[in-house]
Amino acid sequence: MAESPMWEHIGTSFVHLYYHHFDADRAQLSTLYSDASRLSWEGEQLQGKAAIMGKLMNIPFHKVQRFITSQDHQPAPDNRILSMVVGKVKVNGEPLMEFHQAFVLKNMNDKWICTNDIFRVALPHFG
Amino acid sequence: MEYNDDGSSSQGKKNYQSSFQRSCGEENSNYKHSGYEPLPSHVQLDDGNSAMRDAHKDLQIRHTPTTTQGNNRRVKLNNEDRIYITVSRERTFQKRKVEDRPVWKDRTTPKREMEENGQDETSSDWFKITVPCGRKYDKTWLLNSIQSHCSVPFTPVDFHYVRKHAIFFVQDTGTASALRAINYKICDEENKKIRIFVRHSIVPHSVQNKLRPEQMKQLKRTMNKRYDFSQQSLDLQSFRFDPDLVDHDIDMILNQRNCMAATLKIIEENFPEMLSLNLCSNRLYNLDGLSDIIQKALKLKILNLSNNKLNSTWELEKIKGLKLEELRLQGNPLCNNFSDHSSYVSAIRNCFPKLLCLDGQQLLQPVTVKNETPDKMKSCQESYIVSDALKNLILQFLQQYYWVYDHGDRHGLLGAYHDEACFSLTIPFNPKNPALSSLDKYSKYSRNMKKCKDPVLLVRLLKHANNDIVDFLNVLPKTQHDLNTFLVDMCSQTEKMVCFSVSGLFKEVEGVCNDRIRAFTRIFITTPVGNSGLHIMNDQLFVREASPKETQSAFSTPVSTPSSSSVYTLSQEQQEMVQAFSTQSGMNLEWSLKCLEENEWNYTRAGHVFTTFKAEGKIPEEAFKQSP
């Protein structure tokens, strides 16, 4: 395959930008959400830019080390893009944990915005 | 407003029409019979096509009342008879294809039935209401919007479409003025103003040619003979040639608005419980007239429209309001519009999502769930609070999905996926340890290797189309998922999209890696179908090795399964039997499987056994418990 499809470009760039902002200047993440966006952070449901930013600015992650194991992007209905990121995080000196994050991206006014975001750290709480 | 001219102001008309056409972006290639009186070939009407306009003048013609005598049916149309029909500016009469004319030629007498007793409907003023580009609006929405803005209540008569415009008739000057007044007042969903043109008109066809009372009586008698009360089904196949009707000189051309209206009236009054209607071989060109049936036959589930002349699925959209379960369309030109069978089926299913059977073929259903409270699903569409009903819907969907995934031929999942669904699988690939042989079964189906910015190589496969997807899923190793380890996160539900992620553990149950535990994460984007089903649009799966801790915790909680449910492959038919049995009995899938197995897959016998045991109280409670 000579060229990768559009959704992979956009998905990859978005993911890169997202984590860059997350680590460098988290307030910048507000440019990636809109008022129609929804976030599910560890099961907590949040809607709208304000609520989402409120959560993200206040999570107790100070020092984050992230290793992305896998990224995948698919075209979704309504001209959206579904991106999935799987990897490991090391937070605040705690042991390495698996995490996964899913983004649904939509083009609004020539910018790609995240309309849906699911984040979950895989803690072994089975049984 | 004077509109009948003999062509002298054709120049002005030309400009009007072309600007009219431009504003609506008309195409004039699709000719459909408007359901009005068919005209012989030599009577040409200007149909808006500029080439034709040069060749033919607009004819001014008026209706001639002709009294019909019983024996005089075979009035041939020729030049001397001069059928007069008034033409208004909008081109309501369109050229019929010549090859379709022959059979009807001898019998096309326009009957002008006058109401002899009671009010003469033909004498009061009639007006034609045109909504330009009205075709794009849902009929019910359009009429309701107009009514809500209009100060006078009105009854639309002979609602139909001509190219892109919606047209109907109203009686009475007061109503017409009221409708004129709301021109440019109604906004559609795109915030564009809806125009409403009001013009004086001749009496609409169905009113003018209304059947006489004695004809209606005969029609009712004939239809009664054709109605099967035990099945609640009405057979109107080749209705025109029914000997009863022919003997009484009743010409039931169902394409004509008056005939269809009379038929529907009799259905409404006499067969309100009608379940099934057969309209095969009635030369139906369009379903404008039939669309009135939606309010009259509320129970209609089975419709046979085969061997008619329906040109496009646009006609079916007019009867979209029917909750059809069975439909026959074979023998219509529209069937040839599709490049393959599955796009034909999809298009029809788009119109009628609850359809179970098309042209005699059972359709695969999306994985549906028993949802006790279907109304709750609707109420949570706009809210961002994830309701319990939605959670249950998703959990039950997953339960059914993984049951098929683990127990049998994964082709059984075909119906769960939308035709154009997307599926991809990723596994981690560590360059430091390329011999990741334990995931070898997954990695060997790589389609492309992509180097990305991270120093990690990804192995990825992307599948489109539900057939490809289930073919591929079938190739993946057999699994047993531990539903107790499932963690489900929901994010977003709108009318069209339910998005959620699932992560958990599963065990491989075949081959070299038998009993190896894996961890997975899977993102689904689904779209709701019908009342209680989900259709998968996107499916993104990630599989990795489980950590030692995870491996330990997997399958630690015993799942309450009867001893006989060992993991073996069930055929698709067996899977469907189990699901159907589960739905009907209320027992969960494991117990339904057990019951069917013990009764040698004899569904009826299993049913009897179940009912007996249940009555005797011999079935434990756990049989009815759905797992979390």
Side-chain angles (χ1 to χ4, degrees):
Chain A
M1 299 273 278
E3 244 180 47
S4 54
M6 174 209 77
W7 61 83
E8 289 191 15
H9 279 306
I10 294 170
T12 322
S13 317
F14 181 90
V15 166
H16 184 80
L17 189 63
Y18 181 92
Y19 290 115
H20 173 80
H21 284 329
F22 195 96
D23 297 337
D25 182 4
R26 215 172 291 166
Q28 291 286 317
L29 286 175
S30 67
T31 57
L32 301 177
Y33 293 100
S34 76
D35 284 326
S37 300
R38 296 189 46 192
L39 168 64
S40 167
W41 182 275
E42 290 278 293
E44 192 184 330
Q45 304 282 328
L46 297 141
Q47 164 139 10
K49 200 192 278 208
I52 294 174
M53 289 315 297
K55 177 73 188 177
L56 293 177
M57 298 299 289
N58 289 314
I59 46 178
F61 285 11
H62 299 299
K63 198 168 162 226
V64 179
Q65 272 182 295
R66 193 181 307 100
F67 309 93
I68 294 182
T69 330
S70 154
Q71 267 195 62
D72 191 8
H73 311 280
Q74 277 183 8
D78 212 18
N79 287 321
R80 298 192 199 213
I81 295 175
L82 174 62
S83 296
M84 174 167 78
V85 180
V86 180
K88 301 182 205 280
V89 270
K90 200 166 159 54
V91 173
N92 299 344
E94 287 187 23
L96 208 56
M97 291 185 288
E98 300 275 349
F99 83 95
H100 70 260
Q101 187 154 20
F103 298 103
V104 177
L105 307 176
K106 182 175 174 155
N107 190 327
M108 285 186 174
N109 301 324
D110 269 351
K111 257 185 66 176
W112 284 91
I113 298 280
C114 170
T115 57
N116 300 91
D117 183 350
I118 304 178
F119 176 85
R120 179 64 80 164
V121 174
L123 295 166
H125 78 281
F126 316 118
Chain B
M1 181 179 183
E2 222 31 53
Y3 50 79
N4 38 344
D5 58 7
D6 52 4
S8 54
S9 64
S10 60
Q11 192 55 48
K13 212 187 313 166
K14 202 179 193 165
N15 290 339
Y16 171 75
Q17 275 179 339
S18 43
S19 69
F20 195 62
Q21 282 182 351
R22 266 201 298 277
S23 68
C24 290
E26 278 185 14
E27 85 261 315
N28 39 22
S29 54
N30 196 11
Y31 286 86
K32 284 190 243 175
H33 189 246
S34 67
Y36 278 66
E37 187 72 42
L39 301 169
S41 54
H42 56 268
V43 178
Q44 301 280 10
L45 291 179
D46 193 331
D47 57 5
N49 183 321
S50 56
M52 300 241 349
R53 221 182 298 134
D54 296 334
H56 305 282
K57 261 169 49 160
D58 223 5
L59 295 176
Q60 174 193 342
I61 4 188
R62 271 174 287 112
H63 249 297
T64 306
T66 57
T67 48
T68 52
Q69 291 145 18
N71 326 338
N72 201 17
R73 293 199 84 184
R74 299 184 145 265
V75 172
K76 286 205 173 79
L77 284 176
N78 49 38
N79 263 327
E80 288 106 291
D81 281 0
R82 304 287 291 282
I83 307 307
Y84 295 101
I85 299 169
T86 315
V87 179
S88 73
R89 274 221 174 136
E90 279 71 43
R91 303 291 168 229
T92 41
F93 298 96
Q94 295 184 332
K95 183 171 163 217
R96 275 188 72 184
K97 293 195 182 123
V98 178
E99 61 269 14
D100 290 323
R101 229 185 300 277
V103 172
W104 307 87
K105 218 195 313 207
D106 295 336
R107 297 149 73 95
T108 50
T109 312
K111 289 190 286 255
R112 166 97 171 256
E113 313 294 350
M114 307 264 298
E115 294 275 352
E116 269 144 17
N117 44 345
Q119 192 178 8
D120 186 350
E121 284 178 297
T122 62
S123 66
S124 54
D125 286 342
W126 281 90
F127 294 85
K128 181 160 116 165
I129 316 297
T130 307
V131 180
C133 305
R135 176 173 158 156
K136 60 185 176 189
Y137 306 119
D138 172 67
K139 174 184 172 186
T140 319
W141 177 86
L142 182 62
L143 290 174
N144 287 343
S145 303
I146 296 178
Q147 182 66 87
S148 61
H149 283 82
C150 180
S151 51
V152 176
F154 67 91
T155 313
V157 173
D158 281 8
F159 184 99
H160 65 286
Y161 297 95
V162 171
R163 297 215 201 93
K164 293 205 169 192
H165 319 315
I167 294 173
F168 61 94
F169 297 86
V170 294
Q171 201 173 4
D172 174 66
T173 326
T175 316
S177 315
L179 287 170
R180 217 175 249 134
I182 57 171
N183 182 22
Y184 261 117
K185 291 275 183 329
I186 308 176
C187 269
D188 69 15
E189 280 150 0
E190 294 164 7
N191 256 336
K192 293 207 186 111
K193 305 269 190 197
I194 298 179
R195 285 171 294 167
I196 299 185
F197 288 123
V198 178
R199 278 183 180 51
H200 226 100
S201 139
I202 53 155
V203 185
H205 188 277
S206 69
V207 171
Q208 180 154 68
N209 297 296
K210 206 160 166 172
L211 271 63
R212 293 192 303 266
E214 62 269 24
Q215 290 180 313
M216 288 297 278
K217 284 210 184 91
Q218 179 55 49
L219 190 63
K220 178 175 158 180
R221 278 195 286 270
T222 309
M223 284 172 73
N224 250 316
K225 284 193 198 169
R226 286 169 163 259
Y227 193 81
D228 178 347
F229 277 94
S230 66
Q231 306 269 351
Q232 301 284 11
S233 83
L234 177 60
D235 180 0
L236 296 180
Q237 181 163 344
S238 301
F239 198 28
R240 192 184 185 189
F241 301 104
D242 184 299
D244 261 9
L245 297 178
V246 172
D247 287 343
H248 287 87
D249 285 335
I250 301 177
D251 208 0
M252 282 309 279
I253 301 174
L254 285 176
N255 265 316
Q256 289 181 10
R257 206 66 189 240
N258 60 332
C259 296
M260 181 60 86
T263 310
L264 293 185
K265 182 153 186 237
I266 293 183
I267 291 176
E268 187 182 20
E269 289 169 359
N270 300 282
F271 315 117
E273 301 289 310
M274 184 174 74
L275 266 178
S276 159
L277 176 59
N278 183 348
L279 287 169
C280 174
S281 305
N282 276 294
R283 298 195 134 244
L284 291 173
Y285 283 84
N286 74 40
L287 299 179
D288 287 308
L290 187 63
S291 70
D292 292 334
I293 205 179
I294 298 171
Q295 282 85 29
K296 298 181 204 268
L298 298 165
K299 301 219 170 155
L300 188 64
K301 294 254 181 299
I302 302 173
L303 182 60
N304 184 343
L305 287 169
S306 60
N307 293 325
N308 280 299
K309 300 280 178 190
L310 300 171
N311 266 320
S312 99
T313 46
W314 161 234
E315 295 303 331
L316 297 173
E317 305 236 345
K318 295 172 186 170
I319 53 166
K320 216 169 167 165
L322 291 172
K323 300 189 178 52
L324 294 180
E325 287 178 6
E326 266 184 57
L327 176 62
R328 281 186 187 268
L329 288 172
Q330 69 261 32
N332 278 291
L334 73 88
C335 299
N336 301 322
N337 288 349
F338 300 92
S339 51
D340 57 41
H341 186 72
S342 62
S343 42
Y344 164 64
V345 174
S346 293
I348 308 301
R349 287 185 92 164
N350 262 338
C351 253
F352 304 106
K354 293 202 153 177
L355 204 61
L356 298 176
C357 183
L358 176 61
D359 294 337
Q361 267 187 341
Q362 294 286 338
L363 300 174
L364 285 168
Q365 298 303 307
V367 178
T368 54
V369 297
K370 256 187 313 161
N371 191 351
E372 272 88 42
T373 52
D375 311 306
K376 264 202 195 166
M377 180 69 187
K378 289 213 174 77
S379 69
C380 72
Q381 267 161 11
E382 248 74 68
S383 86
Y384 58 89
I385 301 161
V386 181
S387 74
D388 281 336
L390 179 61
K391 279 191 201 141
N392 284 333
L393 177 68
I394 293 176
L395 292 173
Q396 292 200 22
F397 166 84
L398 288 171
Q399 191 202 359
Q400 294 211 339
Y401 183 91
Y402 280 105
W403 196 85
V404 178
Y405 198 88
D406 287 345
H407 281 106
D409 185 349
R410 288 175 188 151
H411 281 106
L413 293 170
L414 185 68
Y417 284 90
H418 188 275
D419 283 348
E420 286 165 28
C422 242
F423 170 83
S424 63
L425 164 68
T426 29
I427 60 167
F429 187 91
N430 192 337
K432 292 177 199 160
N433 184 12
L436 210 60
S437 57
S438 64
L439 286 172
D440 193 41
K441 274 244 168 111
Y442 296 93
S443 67
K444 77 178 174 193
Y445 299 106
S446 67
R447 194 183 59 125
N448 61 6
M449 296 282 281
K450 186 188 169 218
K451 283 202 178 75
C452 72
K453 287 144 199 157
D454 294 356
V456 174
L457 284 171
L458 298 168
V459 174
R460 184 184 327 153
L461 306 88
L462 184 62
K463 300 284 173 194
H464 283 278
N466 53 359
N467 280 302
D468 290 341
I469 295 175
V470 295
D471 283 342
F472 177 70
L473 290 178
N474 239 12
V475 168
L476 292 177
K478 301 237 178 298
T479 57
Q480 193 182 346
H481 284 74
D482 184 357
L483 271 76
N484 287 319
T485 62
F486 277 17
L487 194 58
V488 180
D489 277 316
M490 282 153 276
C491 184
S492 130
Q493 78 285 351
T494 60
E495 246 173 45
K496 290 198 190 144
M497 191 167 99
V498 179
C499 172
F500 55 96
S501 80
V502 189
S503 56
L505 303 175
F506 69 91
K507 181 162 66 172
E508 272 186 39
V509 291
E510 71 169 356
V512 172
C513 296
N514 198 12
D515 278 353
R516 198 76 82 96
I517 307 285
R518 312 259 188 235
F520 77 94
T521 301
R522 199 160 186 171
I523 318 277
F524 286 101
I525 293 186
T526 63
T527 181
V529 164
N531 232 355
S532 52
L534 293 173
H535 236 173
I536 304 174
M537 299 289 313
N538 290 81
D539 181 355
Q540 229 169 21
L541 173 60
F542 170 81
V543 176
R544 64 171 168 81
E545 289 260 41
S547 70
K549 225 187 205 171
E550 289 169 335
T551 308
Q552 256 180 354
S553 61
F555 298 99
S556 53
T557 314
V559 186
S560 62
T561 54
S563 51
S564 65
S565 81
S566 47
V567 176
Y568 63 92
T569 307
L570 294 177
S571 74
Q572 195 159 327
E573 196 191 320
Q574 286 175 326
Q575 286 173 34
E576 285 171 11
M577 279 177 81
V578 176
Q579 296 212 355
F581 197 86
S582 170
T583 312
Q584 288 197 303
S585 65
M587 294 203 294
N588 61 34
L589 295 165
E590 312 291 347
W591 280 80
S592 302
L593 171 62
K594 179 178 176 185
C595 189
L596 282 165
E597 279 178 335
E598 288 173 359
N599 288 284
E600 283 149 12
W601 293 97
N602 181 329
Y603 195 94
T604 326
R605 202 173 97 195
H608 283 319
V609 167
F610 166 77
T611 323
T612 318
F613 277 26
K614 186 162 181 210
E616 295 171 5
K618 284 190 180 166
I619 305 188
E621 240 188 62
E622 59 171 305
F624 297 94
K625 253 204 307 188
Q626 307 285 348
S627 36

